[in-house]
Every structure is written in structure tokens, then in C-alpha cells.
Amino acid sequence: MDFVYGVANWRYYTGVFDNVSVDEIITTILQSKVAEVDIGQISSISTTQSHEFQRTPVLECLKRIRSQADIRYRQDGTALDVEAKGSVPSSFGLTLRTDVEGALRNPKMGDWLANDILVDGIREPALDVEQTSSDTYNTVTDSSREAQQVDVRKSRIAAIELDLQNNSSDDIIVRIHPDDGNGNPAKPSDTKADYTRARLAASDFSSGIVRFEFPEHDASLQNPHILAEADGSSGHGVGLDSSTGTLYYRIFYFYQTAVEASDGTSINEYRAKEGRYRRETVRGIDEGKQIAQGIVDDHNEPSSRLSFEAASARMHRAQPGDVLDVTLSRLNINEPYMITTKTDRYRSGTLESPITMRRLEEV
């Protein structure tokens, strides 16, 4: 039952997407890290998003994508079913006497109301050190690298920019490597000695200033070395200052900041309901703003949830992600609801299926 979500929660993805369609982002992540999940049920979704994931659980990646797009996803066996919420057809209309066992609960207020959200722990890159003069290029290959010691003042490097020429189909690799105590790279031929490294395919960069984003690392950097190399014999050109033989470089570190989003209309009507979201995997203020505003947009009104026990065979067969037409005049409800949670359990030979639904607009 939980195959897709279970696998996705224990795989990690690192990558950057810049204005890429939602379906392509999800497909790329799954094919890269959760290949055993069937992607044949991912519908075409033209909405584009930009994301930067650094060793982020795949399931968290999916949740972040969903928080910024009007989509729903659900698991269907070994497949992930993804489609725009507006295109999800209703399975059937909920009938109280047929489909609901016992009382139908409709909690109006609760944890879902949030109209003032603070997202903190955001890691925003800031410039640390730089050398921005370059008037010549040296070619780096798999057997010839450029090395440059730098005086980094921070404990962690977030990104490095180099001046590159794209000369071949080889990948370009930038390694952050320790010093041997005498001003030389400790073990330049041993990648296991690196603090961290980043790689770009030739198709992912053009000649000019190129940025390398590094995965999380906790290294205590003391005068580390930048090692630039390629993974083939053709290689690429790396910009230097010919008068000093020094690489062009700009080095960035992360500082922590926070952003806030609120809904004044909701606050005036329901009073302030504050929430705090701390996630140190958020890289950049813009992404933090998107997350904060997405939470507020989703939860700026009291949640309309329906909870009940399934009574009919069709309700027992229903799955999270299914949409039902709900008409309940006494609750002033006449709109689609989506099943958000369902648990199947057997007691004394009887199947029990507690179900929770939310307004489709709120999911």
C-alpha cells in the first residue's frame, strides 16, 4: 500500500530546476533516484517551477512541488499518479446513508488555519572571497587540473563561480580539497580526501561565468584548495590571471535568514493564527517566500474536513487522492472533496476504513 511513498522517503535528490514544467521535474527526480516507481501515470502539467534541492528526501521534493502547484499526486500500486487538480474527475457522489457508517464529523476549526507564517532556517548565499581577473585559459582534463588555494573565512562553502570555456563533451568537476599544511593540496589524486565536490555536464553550462553549487558538508575549511578538472581527455578551459597564475573565482557561503507571509483579511476575520516552518534545506529567500506564501494561501480559511467510517464497498475501495462530489445541505456543502487519508484494518473479521476528506480547493 505504501510502496511509492515508503521508497521515496528514503531516497535523496540533489539538483536544480529553473523554470521547468512540473511533470518534467517529477519525472526527472523519480527516474534519477526512484527508478522502480512507474512514471506512466504522470500527466502533462505545463506549469513551470524553479527549485534547488540539496540531498532532500524525494518525498519532501514532491511535497514542495505540490505546495506551489495546483496538482494532486497519489500512489497506485507501484505507480505515482500525478495530475492537475482541476482535471481530476469525481469518482461518485457521497451518499450519507449508503457510504457513511455512524457519525460524520466536520471539524471546522483546527491546526489547518494559518494566516501568519514565518519560514526560518533559510540559507541565503553571500559572497565571501573573490579574484575576478582573467585574461587567459588553461585546459583542464582527467590528467591535468588547475589548483588554487583560497583564504576562506567561513566554515562551509555554498557555491563557487569560475570563468570557463566549454570546449568538449566532457563533464567539468570542481573539488574542495584540504591543505597538507605546507600550502599544497593534501592528496589531489584521491577524491575521497575532498571536503566536497560538484560536477556539471557539458550540456549544463555555456562559456562564461559558471556557478557550482555544493552539497551539504560540515567540513572545517582552513585555507582549502579549489581543484578544477574534467572527466575526459579533451577537457575545458579555465580562466586565470596570466600575471599571477591565479584562478578566477568567487566563493559564497550561507547565512541564515527568515521570511514571513501573512493574509490580513484572514487575520481580521479569524484572528492571527501563527505558524513557524523551519527547514534548513531551503536555499534562498525567493524559495522561502514561495513556501511561506503557499502555506498561507492553502490555510488562510478554517479547514472544512469530513471524517467518517466507510460503509459501502465503493468507499472501502476508494483511495487517497480520489475526488467525490459532496452535497450536505445541513452543513452548507456542495462541492468536490478529496480523500486525504484512509486506513484499512480488520477487527474480528470485519473491514474498517476510517476516512478523512478535505475540500478539493484546500488540498
Side-chain angles (χ1 to χ4, degrees):
M1 180 67 72
D2 296 326
F3 170 78
V4 176
Y5 297 158
V7 174
N9 195 45
W10 293 102
R11 306 286 175 84
Y12 298 86
Y13 184 79
T14 298
V16 178
F17 299 94
D18 186 13
N19 290 323
V20 179
S21 65
V22 169
D23 59 302
E24 183 178 346
I25 295 174
I26 295 175
T27 299
T28 299
I29 293 174
L30 293 181
Q31 287 181 324
S32 172
K33 296 299 180 181
V34 200
E36 56 266 58
V37 171
D38 182 357
I39 60 174
Q41 296 184 41
I42 298 177
S43 302
S44 176
I45 301 172
S46 59
T47 303
T48 61
Q49 294 183 358
S50 296
H51 291 280
E52 187 173 325
F53 300 113
Q54 290 293 323
R55 191 165 169 73
T56 305
V58 170
L59 187 57
E60 176 64 27
C61 294
L62 295 175
K63 291 179 179 178
R64 195 179 300 178
I65 294 166
R66 185 179 62 184
S67 73
Q68 300 176 29
D70 196 25
I71 64 171
R72 73 97 187 243
Y73 61 76
R74 62 172 182 168
Q75 57 182 0
D76 183 7
T78 60
L80 185 69
D81 183 349
V82 181
E83 56 191 323
K85 285 198 298 185
S87 66
V88 180
S90 297
S91 299
F92 53 85
L94 181 74
T95 303
L96 282 179
R97 294 184 179 180
T98 302
D99 300 311
V100 176
E101 178 74 33
L104 183 146
R105 296 169 296 283
N106 177 229
K108 278 290 186 179
M109 301 292 293
D111 295 338
W112 284 108
L113 178 60
N115 48 34
D116 188 5
I117 292 295
L118 178 72
V119 176
D120 65 3
I122 297 170
R123 296 173 304 129
E124 179 73 8
L127 184 64
D128 186 7
V129 292
E130 62 180 349
Q131 190 292 113
T132 57
S133 173
S134 63
D135 55 11
T136 189
Y137 294 89
N138 282 359
T139 298
V140 297
T141 66
D142 56 357
S143 60
S144 175
R145 68 175 61 89
E146 282 291 333
Q148 177 66 53
Q149 189 173 28
V150 292
D151 181 20
V152 176
R153 297 186 290 270
K154 306 299 177 181
S155 62
R156 290 186 293 175
I157 293 176
I160 290 179
E161 291 180 351
L162 298 179
D163 183 8
L164 301 180
Q165 289 178 321
N166 190 319
N167 294 334
S168 72
S169 61
D170 294 344
D171 288 3
I172 185 79
I173 303 163
V174 175
R175 301 161 53 196
I176 308 301
H177 197 80
D179 182 64
D180 67 354
N182 297 307
N184 302 305
K187 297 178 181 179
S189 61
D190 183 6
T191 59
K192 293 182 180 179
D194 293 343
Y195 288 129
T196 185
R197 68 192 66 84
R199 173 191 293 254
L200 287 177
S203 59
D204 290 337
F205 73 94
S206 302
S207 296
I209 307 304
V210 179
R211 189 181 182 94
F212 292 82
E213 304 278 355
F214 291 94
E216 279 294 300
H217 61 93
D218 296 319
S220 177
L221 304 177
Q222 296 180 354
N223 302 320
H225 295 260
I226 303 172
L227 305 182
E229 59 191 44
D231 71 346
S233 59
S234 298
H236 301 281
V238 177
L240 301 92
D241 183 336
S242 61
S243 64
T244 62
T246 305
L247 278 177
Y248 173 107
Y249 62 82
R250 300 182 79 221
I251 299 178
F252 299 80
Y253 71 97
F254 280 124
Y255 70 92
Q256 290 199 343
T257 185
V259 297
E260 185 178 16
S262 61
D263 185 324
T265 301
S266 176
I267 291 173
N268 289 337
E269 186 169 356
Y270 305 112
R271 297 186 180 181
K273 181 69 173 181
E274 299 175 349
R276 184 173 179 176
Y277 183 96
R278 183 174 182 85
R279 192 60 59 90
E280 294 185 5
T281 55
V282 178
R283 294 177 62 141
I285 289 176
D286 289 342
E287 185 176 344
K289 287 180 178 178
Q290 289 180 340
I291 291 174
Q293 191 60 55
I295 295 173
V296 169
D297 290 345
D298 283 346
H299 306 301
N300 56 5
E301 293 184 6
S303 173
S304 292
R305 289 175 289 166
L306 301 175
S307 300
F308 57 93
E309 291 277 351
S312 63
R314 64 181 184 177
M315 284 309 312
H316 284 295
R317 289 193 296 266
Q319 296 296 324
D322 286 350
V323 175
L324 307 183
D325 290 324
V326 179
T327 301
L328 299 169
S329 57
R330 64 184 177 85
L331 297 177
N332 197 28
I333 295 175
N334 185 15
E335 59 183 307
Y337 272 61
M338 179 180 287
I339 297 175
T340 53
T341 62
K342 175 175 178 283
T343 303
D344 292 326
R345 57 177 181 247
Y346 284 92
R347 290 185 177 178
S348 301
T350 301
L351 174 62
E352 297 180 353
S353 301
I355 291 175
T356 298
M357 305 176 67
R358 291 181 59 197
R359 294 173 58 210
L360 182 60
E361 285 187 359
E362 294 181 359
V363 178

